[in-house]
Amino acid sequence: MSKKVIVFIATSLDGYIATRNDNLEWLLSSEGDGDNGYESFYNTVDTILLGRRTYDWILREVGKDHFPYRGKRCYVFTSTPAEKLDSVEFISESVVSFTQRLRLEEGENIWVVGGGKLIRDLHKNHIIDEWIVTIAPTLLGDGIPLFYPNDEEERLRLVDVRRYQQFVMLDYLVQHSSDSKISDNLTP
């Protein structure tokens, strides 16, 4: 059995994962419940996928001494390598072909942290197996969207809903073409 490729991400109610200038302050200003399920999820993955802008944002915000994904296999997709940490490998090949190879290896699941372009490339090529989306109680009006107009149609099956104070986490499995058809009258 292959590893699952999972998007675990927070979004505003109107579907943005960050402001245009990559600000996430809106996400931190709402009341949650502990870590909102982060540690529980984090313990199920051994591989982290990041786009270059997301990687740079993390380094700016927390600094290289506090990089949050140490101990995991961490791959950053970029055409221009940057300051490298011991726990990070820069990848310049297609995220699709690289991820397809990764998912065949032994181990835990793969977490697609972001950003938007990386997620979009994997979604467009039907590589994502699960979407765990936490909705924040914020309307941004504009920013970096989780989904874009004309994205690929995909059928999902809701497997869990959790509330963390003001946040709601929705967990969906992707119904790949090899999966059984979804009934029109599906109930969770």
Side-chain angles (χ1 to χ4, degrees), residues 49-96:
L49 304 183
L50 298 160
R52 172 65 186 275
R53 280 179 58 187
T54 302
Y55 174 74
D56 289 345
W57 183 88
I58 290 169
L59 290 185
R60 273 194 318 272
E61 293 300 309
V62 302
K64 65 182 179 179
D65 294 335
H66 301 287
F67 188 68
Y69 309 125
R70 292 189 193 280
K72 306 279 184 184
R73 294 170 49 200
C74 188
Y75 299 101
V76 175
F77 291 85
T78 181
S79 57
T80 56
E83 182 178 0
K84 186 174 185 273
L85 302 176
D86 290 339
S87 54
V88 173
E89 185 176 338
F90 291 108
I91 306 297
S92 59
E93 71 178 273
S94 158
V95 65
V96 171

Side-chain angles (χ1 to χ4, degrees), residues 2 5 15 21 33 35 48-49 71 73 76 90 93 98 106 113 119 121 123-124 130 141 144 149 166 177:
S2 64
V5 177
N21 62 351
D33 187 6
D35 67 0
I48 308 287
L49 304 183
R73 294 170 49 200
V76 175
F90 291 108
E93 71 178 273
F98 186 83
E106 293 292 319
V113 174
I119 293 170
D121 288 346
H123 172 58
K124 182 171 75 172
E130 187 170 0
I144 300 168
Q166 294 298 305
S177 59

Side-chain angles (χ1 to χ4, degrees), residues 14 16 18-20 139-144:
D14 53 350
Y16 296 103
T19 64
R20 284 271 172 229
L139 296 169
L140 292 178
D142 190 20
I144 300 168

Side-chain angles (χ1 to χ4, degrees), residues 39-171:
E39 186 175 351
S40 177
F41 169 77
Y42 189 73
N43 291 331
T44 69
V45 300
D46 66 2
T47 305
I48 308 287
L49 304 183
L50 298 160
R52 172 65 186 275
R53 280 179 58 187
T54 302
Y55 174 74
D56 289 345
W57 183 88
I58 290 169
L59 290 185
R60 273 194 318 272
E61 293 300 309
V62 302
K64 65 182 179 179
D65 294 335
H66 301 287
F67 188 68
Y69 309 125
R70 292 189 193 280
K72 306 279 184 184
R73 294 170 49 200
C74 188
Y75 299 101
V76 175
F77 291 85
T78 181
S79 57
T80 56
E83 182 178 0
K84 186 174 185 273
L85 302 176
D86 290 339
S87 54
V88 173
E89 185 176 338
F90 291 108
I91 306 297
S92 59
E93 71 178 273
S94 158
V95 65
V96 171
S97 58
F98 186 83
T99 305
Q100 286 173 324
R101 282 196 315 276
L102 273 180
R103 73 187 323 174
L104 297 176
E105 296 176 358
E106 293 292 319
E108 301 295 323
N109 294 321
I110 301 166
W111 177 18
V112 183
V113 174
K117 182 182 179 332
L118 189 75
I119 293 170
R120 188 172 193 198
D121 288 346
L122 292 170
H123 172 58
K124 182 171 75 172
N125 288 281
H126 306 284
I127 305 297
I128 297 169
D129 300 297
E130 187 170 0
W131 294 88
I132 302 174
V133 180
T134 300
I135 309 297
T138 303
L139 296 169
L140 292 178
D142 190 20
I144 300 168
L146 178 56
F147 300 105
Y148 290 82
N150 302 315
D151 269 351
E152 297 294 311
E153 179 180 333
E154 204 155 41
R155 300 293 178 172
L156 308 173
R157 182 170 53 92
L158 182 66
V159 294
D160 198 9
V161 177
R162 293 186 198 131
R163 180 177 178 181
Y164 297 100
Q165 296 286 345
Q166 294 298 305
F167 294 90
V168 176
M169 180 185 289
L170 305 170
D171 188 346

